[in-house]
Amino acid sequence: MRRPALASLLVAGALAAAPTGALAAPDPENLPWPELLPAAPVPTSVQPHPVPHCRNAGIHCMDDLLHRLRRQWRALDPRCDHRALFSLAYLRITKGLRDDLARPHPRFFRYRRWMIAVIVDFSNRYFATFRDYARGRPVPESWRIAYDEDMHGDTSGGQDVLLASNAHTQHDLPYIYADMGMRTRHGASRKHDHDGVNDVNNCVFDGLESYYAAHYDQQFTWIHMASPLDHIGTLEMVKGWREGAWRNAERLMNAKSASDRRQVGQSIDVNANVWADMIRSGAVPGYRAQRDAYCRSKHRHP
């Protein structure tokens, strides 16, 4: 029986979009509405700072991150570990970000050092959560759902990628922006660069679908052949998550007290958890065995 396409696994109409880069040609699959939404005022006192694996923001930090991501994916891939799918997506997106940031004049980014610091700090949270779950420590509920499904559930590959994307984007990203600052010392908003990440995601998506179909989950073959509306709908949904993350970061930065900030954090948790429950709700009993058999057939070595 044909399994549903990726976007139809989720709530219909969860649309959002991304801007085109400053020098990029418009992409008909990349609807440019987030760049039209103005950033809210936030304090300018918070600015980027050194983080583990990146004491002085530069392309070397991106190269180190790529090495760590590549090492993680290469450990997961031969075992057909379901976490390998998101690990590969993270690797390819980071490569796309690195390549643009390394240009003399990046197409999608104005604040190179800030964006590199954000990317590395964001990945630090990802690696820490990955380790915590593997060692039996508590993790945010949206991540617990994602990793429980990876390790034991009957979700499809598409659901697994979206579960991790939801947790990392909707739960983690607001805190990274709030910690790194969202405006320059002179008050200019850095939202342009936040929106620019959507262009990189759009460029990477097609190649990921093809690789997933060839190596991990046959469902992606059907997704790739389905209506382009499914492709666009999935991209738009993720862009909507990213727009919401930016707005939640503004709320964190504008919180007047620790109590207000906790309330914002609680709303971030609830939103990410509701999405996680919706995404996993389409799991088909017994699909795990089918997926694993397909993956093992594609990972045989002579």
Side-chain angles (χ1 to χ4, degrees):
M1 181 179 67
R2 183 186 186 277
R3 287 175 57 81
L6 182 55
S8 63
L9 293 170
L10 306 171
V11 175
L15 296 182
T20 55
L23 301 179
D27 186 337
E29 293 185 355
N30 199 17
L31 308 177
W33 65 262
E35 66 185 359
L36 303 177
L37 302 178
V42 296
T44 60
S45 55
V46 180
Q47 293 297 320
H49 51 81
V51 297
H53 299 286
C54 193
R55 308 307 297 176
N56 183 22
I59 293 301
H60 65 281
C61 300
M62 300 296 295
D63 291 335
D64 174 71
L65 174 56
L66 284 170
H67 173 74
R68 290 182 288 124
L69 287 167
R70 193 172 292 113
R71 183 172 58 197
Q72 182 195 62
W73 174 69
R74 286 175 175 169
L76 298 172
D77 174 63
R79 307 197 304 264
C80 286
D81 190 310
H82 292 194
R83 294 171 295 178
L85 280 76
F86 185 70
S87 181
L88 179 62
Y90 212 137
L91 173 60
R92 291 197 177 184
I93 291 168
T94 301
K95 179 65 163 59
L97 293 169
R98 185 262 180 221
D99 288 350
D100 195 66
L101 287 163
R103 293 165 62 99
H105 302 287
R107 294 173 297 168
F108 307 129
F109 305 109
R110 295 171 181 165
Y111 306 104
R112 192 192 322 253
R113 292 174 62 84
W114 175 81
M115 179 53 67
I116 291 172
V118 164
I119 291 166
V120 176
D121 201 25
F122 195 34
S123 72
N124 286 341
R125 185 174 286 246
Y126 163 70
F127 281 115
T129 304
F130 186 94
R131 288 192 300 269
D132 285 345
Y133 181 89
R135 295 170 183 174
R137 298 170 183 161
V139 298
E141 178 66 7
S142 53
W143 272 117
R144 184 197 65 77
I145 292 171
Y147 283 141
D148 279 358
E149 292 298 330
D150 281 335
M151 304 308 292
H152 311 293
D154 286 313
T155 44
S156 69
Q159 288 170 289
D160 287 344
V161 173
L162 287 176
L163 282 167
S165 298
N166 164 65
H168 201 31
T169 301
Q170 300 213 83
H171 180 274
D172 297 350
L173 187 55
Y175 295 101
I176 303 303
Y177 282 143
D179 184 54
M180 284 293 170
M182 305 173 75
R183 288 182 178 267
T184 69
R185 286 187 173 85
H186 300 292
S189 174
R190 296 182 170 112
K191 187 174 187 291
H192 170 276
D193 286 24
H194 160 77
D195 289 339
V197 175
N198 295 324
D199 291 273
V200 175
N201 289 346
N202 185 59
C203 293
V204 168
F205 190 83
D206 270 336
L208 274 173
E209 278 187 334
S210 299
Y211 192 93
Y212 289 158
H215 295 85
Y216 296 123
D217 188 347
Q218 198 170 15
Q219 182 202 106
F220 282 97
T221 303
W222 301 323
I223 294 171
H224 202 61
M225 295 170 58
S227 165
L229 292 177
D230 178 75
H231 172 98
I232 296 169
T234 302
L235 286 169
E236 293 301 296
M237 179 180 62
V238 173
K239 285 183 266 188
W241 293 350
R242 299 193 73 257
E243 182 67 23
W246 180 268
R247 301 306 168 182
N248 279 329
E250 291 175 336
R251 294 171 63 214
L252 287 169
M253 293 200 73
N254 287 324
K256 302 301 183 183
S257 66
S259 176
D260 288 347
R261 188 178 172 94
R262 282 194 299 272
Q263 289 182 359
V264 175
Q266 288 169 358
S267 71
I268 289 171
D269 286 344
V270 168
N271 179 62
N273 297 346
V274 167
W275 272 99
D277 281 331
M278 285 194 296
I279 293 167
R280 70 172 172 176
S281 66
V284 175
Y287 190 62
R288 184 180 192 86
Q290 182 178 337
R291 258 184 80 180
D292 288 349
Y294 178 79
C295 182
R296 285 192 297 269
S297 74
K298 300 298 182 180
H299 283 70
R300 290 174 182 159
H301 299 287

